[in-house]
């Protein structure tokens, strides 16, 4: 999107509610990376940066989860006064860790650079990730100050927090076919230090932003113990962290669960930390 078009969009109240395919980065040798902007009906709104899941292997910025598809969840967030930027990142078949963390940091930098043109307040950002996307959101939020500038909080939906513990639980430390191995570029046990570097629980330190963590008790893909460990580490570091374990919910919020209530709780957190 050109600067001229962005300025026109900001000035025109009749502009589309969703701006699609805005290129925010063009990594050399890779496809351009884009985001979709779901605009809040107010100028200068805070920004939710949504990071999709998919085991780092698959997934799309078009959907929040397979059980909450399409624009409706993003529209619900926007209606609450929060513009949503749903972002691409390179998948593990394209590049290994830390490329995906770099891509998310690049999206934040682009939003900060173009915030005024887009009519958003990029000094008030909430990173909101789902599954593998939650891992990426947490890594940026717990990373260098320049990369996480403006980040006021993190919504972490059932994100892997400790890759080593996760692989051990599957007796798969040496399995190169594990989704975590595909992301790292090697079996998790082949370089434990590198696996720790890709694990948010090992990156927690004093000064971490607030976290809202939610996880289903019947999640068979990422055990809820991962989120329990993450919450405990954040609280031990003095961070503001809230953990909700949703009875009977599977991965991707599968099962007979109140998805609207789960979504609304995350929205309430995002509004609180950006107010």
């Amino acid at each position: 999107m050109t600067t001229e078009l962005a300025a026109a969009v900001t000035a025109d109240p009749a502009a589309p509610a969703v701006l699609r395919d805005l290129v925010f980065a063009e990594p050399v040798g890779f496809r351009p990376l884009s985001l979709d902007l779901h605009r809040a009906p107010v100028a200068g709104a805070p920004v939710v940066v949504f990071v999709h899941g998919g085991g780092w292997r698959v997934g799309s910025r078009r959907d929040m989860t397979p059980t909450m598809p399409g624009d409706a969840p993003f529209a619900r967030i926007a209606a609450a006064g929060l513009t949503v930027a749903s972002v691409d990142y390179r998948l593990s078949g394209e590049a290994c860790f830390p490329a995906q963390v770099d891509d998310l940091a690049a999206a934040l930098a682009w939003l900060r650079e173009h915030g005024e043109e887009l009519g958003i307040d990029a000094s008030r950002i909430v990173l909101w990730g789902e599954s593998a996307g939650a891992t990426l959101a947490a890594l940026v939020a717990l990373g260098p100050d320049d990369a996480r500038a403006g980040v006021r909080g993190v919504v972490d939906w059932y994100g892997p927090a400790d890759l080593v513990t996760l692989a051990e639980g599957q007796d798969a430390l040496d399995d190169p076919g594990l989704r975590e191995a595909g992301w790292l570029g090697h079996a998790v046990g082949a370089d434990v230090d590198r696996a720790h570097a890709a694990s948010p629980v090992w990156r927690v330190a004093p000064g971490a932003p607030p976290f809202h963590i939610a996880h289903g008790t019947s999640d068979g893909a990422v055990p809820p113990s991962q989120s329990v460990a993450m919450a405990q580490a954040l609280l031990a570091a003095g961070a503001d962290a809230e953990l909700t374990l949703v009875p009977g919910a599977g991965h991707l919020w599968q099962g007979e669960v109140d998805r609207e209530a789960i979504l609304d709780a995350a929205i309430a957190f995002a509004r609180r930390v950006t107010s």
Side-chain angles (χ1 to χ4, degrees):
M1 184 171 67
T2 65
T3 300
E4 292 78 9
L5 178 55
V9 165
T10 302
D12 182 3
V18 184
L19 304 177
R20 307 268 186 203
D21 306 316
L22 308 183
V23 175
F24 67 82
E26 299 184 68
V28 176
F30 297 92
R31 61 184 168 95
L33 300 175
S34 300
L35 62 82
D36 295 335
L37 201 71
H38 301 256
R39 303 171 65 222
V42 293
V47 187
V48 165
V49 177
F50 181 76
V51 194
H52 70 80
W56 305 283
R57 297 184 293 196
V58 296
S60 168
R61 69 178 190 273
R62 301 292 195 203
D63 297 316
M64 181 161 273
T65 76
T67 62
M68 303 167 70
D71 286 348
F74 300 128
R76 192 180 185 99
I77 298 170
L82 301 155
T83 286
V84 182
S86 186
V87 304
D88 277 340
Y89 54 86
R90 283 170 286 180
L91 302 175
S92 59
E94 300 172 290
C96 296
F97 169 80
Q100 297 73 19
V101 180
D102 295 339
D103 294 342
L104 181 52
L108 266 62
W110 187 89
L111 289 166
R112 289 191 296 265
E113 181 180 355
H114 297 284
E116 184 175 353
E117 302 157 25
L118 295 168
I120 59 175
D121 182 356
S123 71
R124 295 185 291 157
I125 294 173
V126 172
L127 293 171
W128 184 329
E130 180 261 334
S131 193
T135 302
L136 301 179
L139 288 171
V140 170
L142 299 169
D145 290 344
D146 58 341
R148 65 175 180 172
V151 173
R152 300 287 189 89
V154 178
V155 174
D156 175 343
W157 277 359
Y158 45 85
D162 187 332
L163 303 192
V164 174
T165 299
L166 191 59
E168 287 175 340
Q170 300 172 74
D171 195 23
L173 273 176
D174 300 320
D175 183 358
L178 205 64
R179 60 180 179 263
E180 291 78 19
W183 181 39
L184 293 172
H186 54 75
V188 174
D191 189 338
V192 170
D193 288 342
R194 190 159 181 270
H196 284 165
S199 300
V201 76
W202 286 85
R203 306 290 285 272
V204 172
F211 272 67
H212 169 86
I213 306 172
H215 208 128
T217 61
S218 297
D219 192 328
V222 179
S225 57
Q226 290 277 307
S227 285
V228 171
M230 186 67 186
Q232 289 175 338
L234 288 162
L235 291 171
D240 173 358
E242 54 189 42
L243 170 65
T244 299
L245 297 177
V246 182
H251 202 63
L252 313 175
W253 301 130
Q254 293 174 330
E256 296 297 321
V257 296
D258 188 343
R259 297 183 190 93
E260 288 192 0
I262 293 168
L263 180 59
D264 286 344
I267 291 172
F269 167 83
R271 285 173 54 87
R272 174 173 70 84
V273 297
T274 57
S275 62

